[in-house]
Amino acid sequence: MTFVTYGGVTVGLLLLAWHVADWWPGTKALRSSPAQHAAYLLPFLLAWSYGVLTVLGVGGLIGWVADTTLWISNWLGDVALVWGVGGQAGQTAGAARYLPLTQAGGGIVLILTAVMIVLSRKTRYGVDLKRGAWCGVCLGTSAGVAGFAAAPIAVAVNWLGDGLYGAF
């Protein structure tokens, strides 16, 4: 498992800020129909949750892709911090404690992977899904609020997997 550095967290927060700035409809529009505008954040939020799952408890090819994405994000963020603002590279941000996925939870993540691939290629929300998953990978192992969200997500996926696979 690759741990996130300050550079990786910076990349994750940058992706989140980019998405919120891209989404922001304006105060007047948000006041007139808040539920409709908030619904546009759902694809990003679902993909963020998926990204958190892949970086925390999944091995194999999916885990390798998530770890590689985190490693590249750490490197990009560290380079940006060093050359952009004169920071230091390689400092590991606080690591979150996480709940590993069960075998059934891993099956759900595999199913979600197939769904995410199809949706990112076929819908108008493909960019939102890709950006959300990347943000989830970057922030999933941080010890902040994003890291604390990982435990309930893992519990929910394990519960869903136990329910689904228990029915067969």
Side-chain angles (χ1 to χ4, degrees):
M1 173 180 211
T2 304
F3 291 104
V4 69
T5 64
Y6 285 111
V9 171
T10 302
V11 169
L13 292 173
L14 177 101
L15 290 166
L16 179 62
W18 180 5
H19 187 75
V20 170
D22 191 34
W23 161 82
W24 184 253
T27 306
K28 184 177 180 181
L30 194 57
R31 286 184 182 160
S32 67
S33 58
Q36 178 186 6
H37 290 292
Y40 292 129
L41 291 174
L42 286 177
F44 180 86
L45 181 61
L46 292 173
W48 182 87
S49 300
Y50 169 76
V52 168
L53 283 171
T54 60
V55 78
L56 284 180
V58 179
L61 182 62
I62 296 169
W64 178 81
V65 169
D67 282 345
T68 303
T69 302
L70 180 58
W71 177 79
I72 291 170
S73 299
N74 285 339
W75 184 83
L76 288 172
D78 288 343
V79 167
L81 287 175
V82 169
W83 292 99
V85 295
Q88 294 179 357
Q91 297 178 356
T92 302
R97 295 182 181 179
Y98 64 94
L99 180 69
L101 294 174
T102 62
Q103 188 74 11
I108 295 297
V109 172
L110 183 61
I111 293 167
L112 288 174
T113 300
V115 170
M116 289 292 293
I117 290 170
V118 170
L119 288 178
S120 67
R121 295 181 71 214
K122 293 213 172 230
T123 68
R124 66 180 181 156
Y125 299 110
V127 172
D128 297 344
L129 294 171
K130 292 171 189 171
R131 194 181 300 157
W134 187 11
C135 182
V137 165
C138 290
L139 297 178
T141 58
S142 67
V145 176
F148 288 122
I153 292 170
V155 168
V157 168
N158 287 339
W159 174 79
L160 180 64
D162 290 341
L164 179 69
Y165 288 102
F168 291 104

